Each structure stands twice: as C-alpha cells, then as structure tokens.
Amino acid sequence: GDSVTQMEGPVTLSEEAFLTINCTYTATGYPSLFWYVQYPGEGLQLLLKATKADDKGSNKGFEATYRKETTSFHLEKGSVQVSDSAVYFCALNGNKLVFGAGTILRVKS
Amino acid sequence: EAGVAQSPRYKIIEKRQSVAFWCNPISGHATLYWYQQILGQGPKLLIQFQNNGVVDDSQLPKDRFSAERLKGVDSTLKIQPAKLEDSAVYLCASSLVLVEGYTFGSGTRLTVV
C-alpha cells in the first residue's frame, strides 16, 4: 500500500538557520503530495501541496518540490524562526490521505 | 468559511466505558474522514464517508468502533467499550475534491484510564 517515510526528529536549529526535512514516498500511480504542520495544542494545518511531478509548493517561506524520479518531497526553508517550532507531517493522497510519522522541529533563539 | 467543528475537545473515561465524538464538516464538503492520532505518530485513517455512504473502513476496529453520518452532514464516532490503547487524538476532516488536501478540525483528545 501507499506509504510515507520522514526523517526522524527532533530537529533542533538556531534562528535563521536553513531547514530541510526529508520525505520519501511509495505509491502506485501519481499521488498528490502535501506538507501539514501542527503547532503545539492546535490541529493540523495544510502548509503546502503539489499535485504533479516537478510542481513546487510554497507557503510562508517553506518550499517543497515533487520529485517523481526520486519519489521525494523534501521540505525546505531558508531562514527559520522560533515561531516555526511545530510538528511537520508529509502526506500523500492517491485515493486517501496517508501520513508520515511526523518530524518535530525546535527552533532556538 | 467556517472550519470543521469537533466536540468535545477533551474526554477522560475509564476503560470499558463508552464514548462518542461529534463532527460537523465544512458546508458543501461531501467527503468526511475520521483519523486516529496516537502520541508521537502520524494520523491514521479510521473511516471515510462520501455523503452518507462508507467508502473505506478497512482500518476501523469494528468490534468496538462505529461511525455514522446521517443525512450526509454531521458525523459521530463511537467507541464501546474503550481500551487503554484507544487513548489518542481523534481528528475529523472534510474535503471538497478527493485528491486535494483535507481541512482538519481541532480534534478530540481522549484519555482512557
């Protein structure tokens, strides 16, 4: 079945550091890919998405590119802030939304 | 637009008791989902409705969990009897288009003691 693998956390960075959270997937067909974010005490929020190969999703300074050849959708941000501290989930949607285990990001001031 | 509404926000029950969660999706969203998120894990799909019909309930523990979506709008998820391992956040989500991202509610945090 479809599955998503994310890098294990927690990832701890200093403010203004560069962020990469790796995500790879296994799926039949051509799923849509997503990053969701869960801030402490809050629900899941859609951060960005890409619906086909080579698409780049972007939002709030975060970016991810749908790489069909490497079945990857890595999340990047050039300069993180303390307010970015949260849990980040990579997900795919073939015919249902399947999540990775999540990666905790901690940003220190 | 109003978001996905869930209640209650928190619930603590003893094992073997029963509990029910309620969800009201975004108006016009035909597809509704219930997910279980155990601490430290990603959300896992329990059941998917299209209008008031079940599309996928392959991961729903049917001996103790049940769900219904009357009139294709609100939905209720029930656990009876609860076990300690049911402690989790239960998330409801809805979507307009199947392959797009879903909108999630804030969830119900269930603690079984």
Side-chain angles (χ1 to χ4, degrees):
Chain A
D2 295 351
S3 65
V4 176
T5 302
Q6 291 182 235
M7 65 186 289
E8 288 194 22
V11 173
T12 303
L13 298 172
S14 297
E15 223 171 5
E16 300 183 2
F18 185 85
L19 168 71
T20 299
I21 299 178
N22 290 337
C23 170
T24 57
Y25 67 91
T26 301
T28 54
Y30 305 98
S32 296
L33 301 176
F34 305 86
W35 278 99
Y36 280 82
V37 58
Q38 190 169 38
Y39 298 103
E42 298 185 16
L44 282 165
Q45 300 176 28
L46 179 63
L47 180 59
L48 54 85
K49 67 180 182 184
T51 57
K52 62 183 187 297
D54 300 324
D55 269 1
K56 177 185 283 187
S58 61
N59 186 25
K60 299 181 181 179
F62 291 89
E63 293 183 340
T65 301
Y66 190 142
R67 300 287 187 200
K68 181 170 170 287
E69 64 277 11
T70 55
T71 61
S72 64
F73 193 56
H74 305 321
L75 183 68
E76 296 181 337
K77 186 174 186 182
S79 175
V80 294
Q81 305 299 314
V82 173
S83 57
D84 293 326
S85 297
V87 183
Y88 291 81
F89 292 93
C90 185
L92 68 81
N93 193 340
N95 58 5
K96 62 183 178 185
L97 200 58
V98 175
F99 288 87
T103 302
I104 297 172
L105 171 64
R106 297 181 180 136
V107 181
K108 304 178 300 184
S109 59
Chain B
E1 62 181 4
V4 175
Q6 288 189 249
S7 67
R9 191 80 170 87
Y10 305 94
K11 191 74 176 178
I12 301 174
I13 62 172
E14 295 183 349
K15 60 184 179 184
R16 291 187 290 272
Q17 285 188 322
S18 62
V19 64
F21 313 126
W22 172 82
C23 172
N24 181 246
I26 291 175
S27 177
H29 281 194
T31 313
L32 183 147
Y33 315 82
W34 283 101
Y35 279 79
Q36 179 192 57
Q37 186 178 14
I38 293 173
L39 187 64
Q41 299 181 18
K44 182 185 82 172
L45 180 68
L46 292 175
I47 189 167
Q48 174 184 343
F49 291 95
Q50 181 76 17
N51 296 309
N52 61 349
V54 175
V55 174
D56 183 351
D57 64 356
S58 57
Q59 297 198 77
L60 186 74
K62 298 182 187 64
D63 57 333
R64 298 184 300 107
F65 285 65
S66 64
E68 60 182 6
R69 190 183 185 196
L70 298 177
K71 300 181 181 178
V73 182
D74 293 6
S75 178
T76 302
L77 177 70
K78 296 179 181 177
I79 308 174
Q80 181 179 11
K83 293 185 175 181
L84 295 176
E85 59 260 36
D86 298 331
S87 294
V89 176
Y90 290 85
L91 296 166
C92 180
S94 68
S95 68
L96 185 61
V97 179
L98 188 60
V99 294
E100 290 296 303
Y102 305 170
T103 302
F104 283 83
S106 297
T108 296
R109 182 176 296 278
L110 173 67
T111 302
V112 182
V113 298

Coordinates of all heavy atoms in Angstrom, one line a residue, chain A residues 18-99:
Chain A
F18 N 19.1 27.2 8.0 CA 18.4 26.6 6.9 C 17.8 25.3 7.4 O 18.4 24.5 8.1 CB 19.4 26.4 5.8 CG 18.8 25.8 4.5 CD1 18.3 26.7 3.6 CD2 18.8 24.5 4.3 CE1 17.7 26.2 2.4 CE2 18.2 24.0 3.1 CZ 17.6 24.8 2.2
L19 N 16.6 25.0 6.9 CA 15.9 23.8 7.3 C 15.7 22.9 6.1 O 15.2 23.4 5.0 CB 14.5 24.2 7.9 CG 13.5 23.0 8.0 CD1 13.9 22.1 9.2 CD2 12.1 23.6 8.3
T20 N 15.9 21.6 6.3 CA 15.5 20.6 5.4 C 14.9 19.5 6.2 O 15.5 19.0 7.1 CB 16.7 20.0 4.5 OG1 17.2 21.1 3.7 CG2 16.2 18.9 3.6
I21 N 13.7 19.0 5.8 CA 13.1 17.8 6.4 C 12.8 16.9 5.2 O 12.1 17.2 4.3 CB 11.8 18.1 7.1 CG1 12.0 19.1 8.3 CG2 11.2 16.8 7.7 CD1 10.8 19.5 9.1
N22 N 13.5 15.7 5.3 CA 13.4 14.8 4.1 C 12.1 14.0 4.2 O 11.6 13.6 5.3 CB 14.5 13.8 4.1 CG 15.8 14.5 3.8 OD1 15.8 15.6 3.1 ND2 17.0 13.9 4.2
C23 N 11.5 13.7 3.0 CA 10.3 12.9 2.9 C 10.4 12.1 1.6 O 10.7 12.7 0.5 CB 9.1 13.8 2.9 SG 7.5 12.9 2.4
T24 N 10.2 10.8 1.7 CA 10.1 10.0 0.5 C 8.8 9.2 0.6 O 8.2 9.0 1.7 CB 11.3 9.0 0.4 OG1 11.3 8.2 1.6 CG2 12.6 9.7 0.2
Y25 N 8.3 8.7 -0.5 CA 7.0 8.1 -0.6 C 7.1 6.9 -1.5 O 7.9 6.7 -2.3 CB 5.9 9.0 -1.0 CG 6.1 9.5 -2.5 CD1 5.4 8.7 -3.5 CD2 6.8 10.6 -2.8 CE1 5.6 9.1 -4.8 CE2 6.9 11.0 -4.1 CZ 6.3 10.2 -5.1 OH 6.5 10.6 -6.5
T26 N 6.1 6.0 -1.2 CA 5.9 4.8 -2.1 C 4.4 4.8 -2.4 O 3.5 4.9 -1.5 CB 6.2 3.5 -1.3 OG1 7.6 3.5 -0.9 CG2 6.0 2.3 -2.2
A27 N 4.1 4.8 -3.7 CA 2.7 4.9 -4.1 C 2.6 4.3 -5.5 O 3.5 4.3 -6.3 CB 2.2 6.3 -4.1
T28 N 1.4 3.7 -5.8 CA 1.0 3.4 -7.1 C 0.4 4.6 -7.8 O -0.3 5.4 -7.1 CB 0.1 2.2 -7.1 OG1 -1.1 2.5 -6.3 CG2 0.7 0.9 -6.6
G29 N 0.7 4.8 -9.0 CA 0.1 5.9 -9.7 C 0.8 7.2 -9.4 O 2.0 7.2 -9.0
Y30 N 0.1 8.3 -9.5 CA 0.7 9.6 -9.3 C -0.1 10.4 -8.3 O -1.0 11.2 -8.6 CB 0.7 10.3 -10.7 CG 1.4 9.5 -11.7 CD1 0.7 8.7 -12.6 CD2 2.8 9.5 -11.8 CE1 1.3 8.0 -13.6 CE2 3.4 8.7 -12.7 CZ 2.7 8.0 -13.6 OH 3.3 7.2 -14.6
P31 N 0.3 10.2 -7.0 CA -0.5 10.9 -5.9 C -0.2 12.4 -5.9 O 0.8 12.9 -6.4 CB 0.0 10.2 -4.7 CG 1.4 9.9 -5.0 CD 1.4 9.5 -6.5
S32 N -1.1 13.1 -5.2 CA -0.8 14.5 -4.8 C 0.0 14.4 -3.5 O -0.1 13.5 -2.7 CB -2.0 15.3 -4.5 OG -2.8 15.4 -5.7
L33 N 0.9 15.4 -3.3 CA 1.8 15.4 -2.1 C 1.5 16.6 -1.3 O 1.3 17.7 -1.8 CB 3.3 15.3 -2.5 CG 3.6 14.1 -3.3 CD1 5.1 14.2 -3.8 CD2 3.4 12.8 -2.5
F34 N 1.7 16.5 0.1 CA 1.3 17.6 1.0 C 2.3 17.7 2.1 O 2.9 16.7 2.5 CB -0.1 17.4 1.6 CG -1.1 17.2 0.6 CD1 -1.4 15.9 0.1 CD2 -1.9 18.2 0.1 CE1 -2.4 15.7 -0.9 CE2 -2.9 18.0 -0.8 CZ -3.2 16.8 -1.3
W35 N 2.5 18.9 2.7 CA 3.1 19.0 4.0 C 2.0 19.7 4.9 O 1.4 20.7 4.5 CB 4.3 19.9 3.9 CG 5.5 19.1 3.5 CD1 6.1 19.1 2.3 CD2 6.3 18.3 4.4 NE1 7.2 18.3 2.3 CE2 7.4 17.8 3.6 CE3 6.3 18.0 5.8 CZ2 8.4 17.0 4.1 CZ3 7.2 17.2 6.3 CH2 8.3 16.7 5.5
Y36 N 1.8 19.1 6.0 CA 0.9 19.6 7.1 C 1.8 20.0 8.3 O 2.8 19.5 8.5 CB -0.1 18.6 7.5 CG -1.3 18.5 6.6 CD1 -1.2 17.7 5.5 CD2 -2.5 19.1 6.9 CE1 -2.3 17.5 4.6 CE2 -3.6 19.0 6.1 CZ -3.5 18.2 4.9 OH -4.6 18.1 4.1
V37 N 1.3 21.0 9.0 CA 2.0 21.5 10.2 C 1.0 21.5 11.4 O -0.1 21.7 11.2 CB 2.6 22.9 10.0 CG1 1.6 23.9 9.7 CG2 3.4 23.3 11.2
Q38 N 1.6 21.1 12.5 CA 0.8 21.0 13.8 C 1.5 21.8 14.8 O 2.5 21.3 15.4 CB 0.5 19.6 14.2 CG -0.5 19.4 15.3 CD -0.8 17.9 15.4 OE1 0.0 17.0 15.3 NE2 -2.1 17.6 15.7
Y39 N 1.0 23.0 15.1 CA 1.6 23.8 16.2 C 1.1 23.3 17.6 O 0.1 22.6 17.6 CB 1.2 25.2 16.0 CG 1.7 25.9 14.7 CD1 0.9 26.1 13.6 CD2 3.1 26.2 14.6 CE1 1.4 26.6 12.5 CE2 3.6 26.7 13.4 CZ 2.7 26.9 12.4 OH 3.2 27.4 11.2
P40 N 1.9 23.5 18.6 CA 1.5 23.0 19.9 C 0.1 23.3 20.3 O -0.3 24.5 20.3 CB 2.6 23.7 20.8 CG 3.7 23.9 20.0 CD 3.2 24.3 18.6
G41 N -0.7 22.3 20.7 CA -2.0 22.5 21.1 C -3.0 22.8 20.0 O -4.2 23.1 20.3
E42 N -2.6 22.7 18.8 CA -3.5 23.0 17.7 C -3.7 21.8 16.8 O -3.1 20.8 16.9 CB -3.0 24.2 16.9 CG -2.9 25.5 17.7 CD -2.4 26.7 16.9 OE1 -2.5 26.6 15.6 OE2 -2.0 27.7 17.5
G43 N -4.7 22.0 15.8 CA -4.9 21.0 14.9 C -4.0 21.0 13.7 O -3.1 21.9 13.6
L44 N -4.2 20.1 12.8 CA -3.4 20.0 11.6 C -3.7 21.1 10.6 O -4.9 21.3 10.3 CB -3.5 18.7 10.9 CG -2.8 17.5 11.5 CD1 -3.4 16.2 10.9 CD2 -1.3 17.5 11.2
Q45 N -2.7 21.8 10.0 CA -3.0 22.8 9.0 C -2.2 22.4 7.8 O -1.0 22.1 7.8 CB -2.5 24.2 9.5 CG -3.2 24.7 10.8 CD -2.6 26.0 11.2 OE1 -2.1 26.8 10.4 NE2 -2.6 26.2 12.5
L46 N -2.9 22.6 6.6 CA -2.2 22.4 5.4 C -1.1 23.5 5.1 O -1.5 24.7 5.2 CB -3.2 22.4 4.2 CG -2.6 22.2 2.8 CD1 -1.9 20.9 2.7 CD2 -3.7 22.4 1.8
L47 N 0.1 23.1 4.9 CA 1.2 24.1 4.7 C 1.4 24.3 3.2 O 1.5 25.5 2.8 CB 2.5 23.6 5.4 CG 3.7 24.5 5.3 CD1 3.4 25.8 5.9 CD2 4.9 23.8 5.9
L48 N 1.6 23.3 2.5 CA 1.7 23.4 1.0 C 1.4 22.1 0.3 O 1.3 21.1 1.0 CB 3.1 23.9 0.7 CG 4.3 23.1 1.2 CD1 4.7 22.0 0.3 CD2 5.5 24.0 1.4
K49 N 1.3 22.2 -1.0 CA 0.9 21.0 -1.7 C 1.5 21.0 -3.1 O 1.8 22.1 -3.6 CB -0.6 20.8 -1.8 CG -1.3 21.8 -2.6 CD -2.8 21.6 -2.7 CE -3.5 22.6 -3.5 NZ -4.9 22.5 -3.5
A50 N 1.6 19.8 -3.8 CA 2.0 19.7 -5.2 C 1.2 18.6 -5.8 O 1.1 17.5 -5.1 CB 3.5 19.5 -5.3
T51 N 0.7 18.8 -6.9 CA -0.2 17.8 -7.5 C 0.4 17.0 -8.6 O -0.2 16.0 -9.0 CB -1.6 18.4 -7.9 OG1 -1.2 19.4 -8.9 CG2 -2.3 19.0 -6.8
K52 N 1.5 17.4 -9.2 CA 2.1 16.6 -10.2 C 3.6 16.8 -10.2 O 4.2 17.7 -9.6 CB 1.6 17.0 -11.6 CG 1.8 18.4 -12.0 CD 1.1 18.6 -13.4 CE 1.4 20.0 -13.9 NZ 1.0 21.1 -13.1
A53 N 4.3 15.9 -10.9 CA 5.8 15.9 -10.9 C 6.3 17.2 -11.3 O 5.8 17.9 -12.3 CB 6.3 14.8 -11.9
D54 N 7.4 17.7 -10.6 CA 8.1 18.9 -10.9 C 7.4 20.1 -10.4 O 8.0 21.2 -10.4 CB 8.5 19.1 -12.3 CG 9.4 18.0 -12.8 OD1 10.2 17.5 -12.1 OD2 9.2 17.6 -14.0
D55 N 6.2 20.0 -9.8 CA 5.5 21.1 -9.2 C 6.2 21.5 -8.0 O 6.7 20.7 -7.2 CB 4.1 20.7 -8.8 CG 3.1 21.0 -9.9 OD1 3.5 21.5 -11.0 OD2 1.9 20.7 -9.7
K56 N 6.2 22.8 -7.7 CA 6.8 23.3 -6.4 C 5.7 23.9 -5.6 O 5.0 24.8 -6.1 CB 7.9 24.3 -6.6 CG 8.5 24.9 -5.4 CD 9.5 26.0 -5.6 CE 10.8 25.5 -6.1 NZ 11.9 26.5 -6.2
G57 N 5.5 23.4 -4.4 CA 4.5 24.0 -3.5 C 5.3 25.0 -2.6 O 6.4 24.8 -2.2
S58 N 4.7 26.1 -2.2 CA 5.3 27.1 -1.4 C 4.3 27.8 -0.5 O 3.2 28.1 -1.0 CB 6.2 28.1 -2.2 OG 5.3 28.8 -3.1
N59 N 4.7 28.2 0.7 CA 3.8 29.0 1.6 C 4.7 29.4 2.8 O 5.4 28.6 3.4 CB 2.7 28.1 2.0 CG 1.7 28.9 2.9 OD1 1.5 30.1 2.8 ND2 0.9 28.1 3.7
K60 N 4.5 30.6 3.2 CA 5.2 31.1 4.5 C 6.7 30.9 4.4 O 7.3 30.7 5.5 CB 4.6 30.5 5.7 CG 3.1 30.7 5.9 CD 2.6 30.0 7.2 CE 1.2 30.2 7.4 NZ 0.7 29.5 8.6
G61 N 7.3 31.0 3.3 CA 8.7 30.8 3.2 C 9.2 29.3 3.0 O 10.4 29.1 2.8
F62 N 8.3 28.4 3.2 CA 8.6 27.0 3.0 C 8.4 26.6 1.6 O 7.5 27.1 0.9 CB 7.6 26.1 3.9 CG 7.9 26.2 5.4 CD1 7.2 27.2 6.1 CD2 8.8 25.4 6.0 CE1 7.5 27.3 7.5 CE2 9.0 25.5 7.4 CZ 8.4 26.4 8.1
E63 N 9.2 25.6 1.1 CA 9.0 25.1 -0.2 C 9.3 23.6 -0.3 O 10.0 23.1 0.6 CB 10.1 25.8 -1.2 CG 10.0 27.2 -1.4 CD 11.0 27.7 -2.4 OE1 12.1 27.0 -2.6 OE2 10.8 28.8 -3.0
A64 N 8.6 23.0 -1.3 CA 8.9 21.5 -1.5 C 8.6 21.3 -3.0 O 7.6 21.8 -3.5 CB 8.0 20.7 -0.6
T65 N 9.5 20.4 -3.6 CA 9.3 20.1 -5.0 C 9.0 18.6 -5.1 O 9.7 17.8 -4.6 CB 10.6 20.5 -5.8 OG1 10.8 21.9 -5.6 CG2 10.4 20.2 -7.3
Y66 N 8.0 18.3 -5.9 CA 7.6 17.0 -6.2 C 8.6 16.3 -7.2 O 8.6 16.7 -8.4 CB 6.2 17.0 -6.9 CG 5.4 15.8 -7.0 CD1 4.1 15.8 -6.8 CD2 6.0 14.6 -7.5 CE1 3.3 14.7 -7.0 CE2 5.2 13.5 -7.6 CZ 3.9 13.5 -7.4 OH 3.1 12.4 -7.6
R67 N 9.4 15.4 -6.7 CA 10.4 14.7 -7.5 C 10.0 13.3 -7.7 O 10.2 12.4 -6.9 CB 11.8 14.8 -6.8 CG 12.3 16.1 -6.4 CD 12.8 16.8 -7.6 NE 13.5 18.1 -7.3 CZ 13.6 19.1 -8.2 NH1 13.2 19.0 -9.4 NH2 14.3 20.2 -7.8
K68 N 9.5 13.1 -8.9 CA 9.0 11.7 -9.3 C 10.1 10.7 -9.4 O 10.0 9.6 -9.0 CB 8.2 11.8 -10.6 CG 7.6 10.5 -11.0 CD 6.6 10.8 -12.2 CE 6.2 9.5 -12.8 NZ 7.2 8.9 -13.6
E69 N 11.3 11.2 -9.9 CA 12.4 10.3 -10.2 C 13.0 9.7 -8.9 O 13.6 8.6 -8.8 CB 13.5 10.9 -11.0 CG 14.2 12.1 -10.4 CD 13.4 13.4 -10.6 OE1 12.2 13.4 -11.0 OE2 13.9 14.5 -10.3
T70 N 12.9 10.5 -7.8 CA 13.5 10.1 -6.5 C 12.4 9.8 -5.5 O 12.7 9.6 -4.3 CB 14.4 11.2 -5.9 OG1 13.8 12.4 -5.9 CG2 15.7 11.3 -6.8
T71 N 11.1 9.9 -5.9 CA 9.9 9.8 -5.1 C 10.1 10.5 -3.8 O 10.0 10.0 -2.7 CB 9.6 8.3 -4.8 OG1 10.7 7.6 -4.1 CG2 9.3 7.5 -6.1
S72 N 10.4 11.8 -3.9 CA 10.7 12.6 -2.7 C 9.9 13.9 -2.8 O 9.5 14.4 -3.8 CB 12.2 12.9 -2.6 OG 12.6 13.7 -3.7
F73 N 9.8 14.5 -1.6 CA 9.1 15.8 -1.4 C 9.6 16.5 -0.2 O 9.0 16.7 0.8 CB 7.6 15.5 -1.3 CG 6.7 16.8 -1.5 CD1 6.8 17.5 -2.6 CD2 5.7 17.1 -0.5 CE1 5.9 18.7 -2.7 CE2 4.9 18.2 -0.6 CZ 5.0 19.0 -1.8
H74 N 10.9 16.9 -0.3 CA 11.6 17.4 0.9 C 11.2 18.8 1.2 O 11.0 19.7 0.3 CB 13.1 17.4 0.6 CG 13.7 16.0 0.3 ND1 13.2 14.9 0.9 CD2 14.6 15.7 -0.6 CE1 13.9 13.9 0.4 NE2 14.8 14.3 -0.5
L75 N 11.0 19.1 2.4 CA 10.6 20.5 2.9 C 11.8 21.3 3.2 O 12.7 20.9 3.9 CB 9.7 20.4 4.1 CG 9.1 21.7 4.7 CD1 8.1 22.3 3.7 CD2 8.4 21.4 6.0
E76 N 11.8 22.6 2.7 CA 12.9 23.5 2.9 C 12.4 24.9 3.3 O 11.4 25.3 2.9 CB 13.8 23.6 1.7 CG 14.5 22.3 1.3 CD 15.3 22.4 0.0 OE1 15.1 23.4 -0.7 OE2 16.3 21.6 -0.1
K77 N 13.3 25.5 4.1 CA 13.1 26.9 4.4 C 14.4 27.6 4.6 O 15.3 27.0 5.4 CB 12.2 27.1 5.7 CG 11.8 28.6 5.9 CD 10.9 28.8 7.0 CE 10.5 30.3 7.1 NZ 9.5 30.6 8.2
G78 N 14.6 28.7 4.1 CA 15.9 29.4 4.1 C 16.3 29.9 5.4 O 17.5 29.9 5.8
S79 N 15.4 30.4 6.2 CA 15.7 31.0 7.5 C 14.6 30.8 8.5 O 13.5 31.4 8.4 CB 15.9 32.5 7.3 OG 16.1 33.2 8.5
V80 N 14.8 29.8 9.4 CA 13.7 29.5 10.3 C 13.6 30.5 11.5 O 14.5 31.2 11.8 CB 13.8 28.1 10.9 CG1 13.7 27.1 9.7 CG2 15.2 27.9 11.6
Q81 N 12.4 30.6 12.0 CA 12.1 31.4 13.2 C 11.6 30.6 14.3 O 11.1 29.4 14.1 CB 11.0 32.5 12.8 CG 11.3 33.3 11.6 CD 12.6 34.1 11.8 OE1 12.8 34.7 12.8 NE2 13.5 34.0 10.8
V82 N 11.7 31.2 15.5 CA 11.2 30.4 16.7 C 9.7 30.0 16.5 O 9.3 28.9 16.9 CB 11.3 31.3 18.0 CG1 10.7 30.6 19.1 CG2 12.8 31.5 18.2
S83 N 9.0 30.8 15.8 CA 7.5 30.5 15.6 C 7.3 29.4 14.7 O 6.1 28.9 14.5 CB 6.8 31.8 15.1 OG 7.4 32.2 13.9
D84 N 8.3 28.9 14.0 CA 8.2 27.7 13.1 C 8.3 26.4 13.9 O 8.1 25.3 13.4 CB 9.3 27.7 12.1 CG 9.2 28.8 11.1 OD1 8.0 29.2 10.8 OD2 10.2 29.3 10.6
S85 N 8.5 26.5 15.2 CA 8.6 25.3 16.0 C 7.2 24.6 16.0 O 6.2 25.2 16.4 CB 9.0 25.6 17.5 OG 10.3 26.2 17.5
A86 N 7.2 23.3 15.6 CA 6.0 22.6 15.4 C 6.3 21.2 15.0 O 7.5 20.8 14.9 CB 5.1 23.3 14.3
V87 N 5.3 20.4 14.7 CA 5.5 19.0 14.1 C 5.1 19.1 12.7 O 4.0 19.6 12.4 CB 4.7 18.0 14.9 CG1 5.0 16.6 14.3 CG2 5.0 18.0 16.3
Y88 N 5.9 18.6 11.8 CA 5.6 18.7 10.3 C 5.4 17.3 9.8 O 6.1 16.3 10.1 CB 6.8 19.3 9.6 CG 7.0 20.8 10.0 CD1 7.6 21.2 11.1 CD2 6.4 21.8 9.1 CE1 7.7 22.5 11.5 CE2 6.5 23.1 9.5 CZ 7.1 23.5 10.6 OH 7.2 24.8 11.0
F89 N 4.3 17.1 9.1 CA 3.9 15.9 8.5 C 3.9 15.9 7.0 O 3.2 16.8 6.4 CB 2.5 15.5 9.0 CG 2.3 15.2 10.4 CD1 2.0 16.2 11.3 CD2 2.6 13.9 10.9 CE1 1.8 15.9 12.7 CE2 2.4 13.6 12.3 CZ 2.1 14.7 13.2
C90 N 4.5 15.0 6.4 CA 4.5 14.8 5.0 C 3.3 13.8 4.7 O 3.1 12.8 5.5 CB 5.8 14.2 4.5 SG 5.9 14.0 2.7
A91 N 2.6 14.0 3.6 CA 1.4 13.1 3.3 C 1.3 13.0 1.8 O 1.7 13.9 1.1 CB 0.2 13.7 4.0
L92 N 0.6 11.9 1.4 CA 0.3 11.7 0.0 C -1.2 11.3 -0.1 O -1.8 10.8 0.8 CB 1.2 10.7 -0.6 CG 1.0 9.2 -0.2 CD1 -0.1 8.5 -0.9 CD2 2.3 8.4 -0.6
N93 N -1.7 11.7 -1.2 CA -3.1 11.3 -1.5 C -3.2 10.7 -2.8 O -3.2 11.3 -3.9 CB -4.0 12.6 -1.4 CG -5.5 12.2 -1.4 OD1 -5.9 11.1 -1.7 ND2 -6.3 13.1 -0.9
G94 N -3.4 9.3 -2.8 CA -3.7 8.6 -4.0 C -5.2 8.5 -4.2 O -5.8 9.1 -5.0
N95 N -5.8 7.8 -3.2 CA -7.2 7.8 -3.1 C -7.6 8.0 -1.7 O -8.8 8.1 -1.3 CB -7.9 6.5 -3.6 CG -7.3 5.3 -2.9 OD1 -6.6 5.4 -1.9 ND2 -7.7 4.1 -3.3
K96 N -6.6 8.2 -0.8 CA -6.9 8.6 0.6 C -5.6 9.2 1.1 O -4.5 9.0 0.6 CB -7.3 7.5 1.5 CG -6.3 6.4 1.6 CD -6.9 5.2 2.5 CE -5.9 4.1 2.6 NZ -6.5 2.9 3.3
L97 N -5.7 10.1 2.1 CA -4.6 10.8 2.6 C -3.8 9.9 3.6 O -4.4 9.5 4.6 CB -5.1 12.1 3.3 CG -4.1 13.2 3.6 CD1 -3.4 13.7 2.3 CD2 -4.7 14.4 4.3
V98 N -2.5 9.7 3.3 CA -1.7 8.8 4.1 C -0.5 9.7 4.7 O 0.1 10.4 3.9 CB -1.1 7.6 3.3 CG1 -0.1 6.8 4.2 CG2 -2.3 6.7 2.8
F99 N -0.3 9.6 6.0 CA 0.7 10.5 6.6 C 2.0 9.8 7.0 O 2.0 8.6 7.3 CB 0.1 11.1 7.9 CG -0.9 12.1 7.7 CD1 -2.3 11.8 7.6 CD2 -0.6 13.5 7.7 CE1 -3.2 12.7 7.4 CE2 -1.6 14.4 7.5 CZ -2.9 14.1 7.4

